[in-house]
């Protein structure tokens, strides 16, 4: 019985870790000029929209991804094409 409970516990922990993503391999494929759809197909659909605004008549949208190490990756699209991306890390307290 203890073995079954232990296996169930390990399976639960591993499945929880599986939902936390590491984006290293996807980031290597990101290129400026990609469309939002191309970036989402590489990075996945677990993002938040950090902002949408208009700059000089062009729509600007920022998507944010967070990985299991509390890194935040920001992708800035101008007229649906990747203009820049950058990473920020949460302070560990």
């Amino acid at each position: 019985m203890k073995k079954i409970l232990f296996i169930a516990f390990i399976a639960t922990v591993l499945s929880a870790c599986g939902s936390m993503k590491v984006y290293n391999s996807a980031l290597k494929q990101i290129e400026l000029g990609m469309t939002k759809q191309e970036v989402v197909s590489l990075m996945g659909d677990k993002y938040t929209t950090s902002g949408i605004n208009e700059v000089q008549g062009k729509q600007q949208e920022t998507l944010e991804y967070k990985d299991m190490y509390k890194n935040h990756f920001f992708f800035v699209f101008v007229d649906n094409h990747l203009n820049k991306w950058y990473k920020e890390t949460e302070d560990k307290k």
Side-chain angles (χ1 to χ4, degrees):
M1 182 68 170
K2 287 182 182 181
K3 278 187 178 182
I4 293 172
L5 289 174
F6 179 74
I7 291 171
F9 172 75
I10 295 298
T12 303
V13 169
L14 291 176
S15 66
C17 291
S19 66
M20 294 184 205
K21 198 159 187 172
V22 178
Y23 295 107
N24 294 336
S25 62
L27 290 169
K28 292 176 184 176
Q29 299 175 57
I30 299 292
E31 296 179 11
L32 295 179
M34 288 180 143
T35 65
K36 176 182 171 183
Q37 293 76 19
E38 290 172 320
V39 172
V40 170
S41 72
L42 288 171
M43 297 293 292
D45 62 358
K46 302 278 191 222
Y47 64 84
T48 57
T49 301
S50 296
I52 297 177
N53 60 0
E54 194 169 297
V55 178
Q56 298 177 351
K58 296 181 178 185
Q59 182 180 353
Q60 181 173 313
E61 180 178 11
T62 303
L63 304 184
E64 178 184 357
Y65 289 86
K66 183 177 176 183
D67 73 6
M68 62 189 288
Y69 301 109
K70 297 187 179 181
N71 295 310
H72 297 256
F73 300 94
F74 296 90
F75 296 88
V76 181
F77 297 89
V78 175
D79 282 346
N80 199 43
H81 289 85
L82 185 61
N83 181 263
K84 71 177 177 177
W85 72 272
Y86 57 96
K87 176 180 104 172
E88 292 182 359
T89 305
E90 286 183 24
D91 291 331
K92 295 177 182 163
K93 294 180 181 182

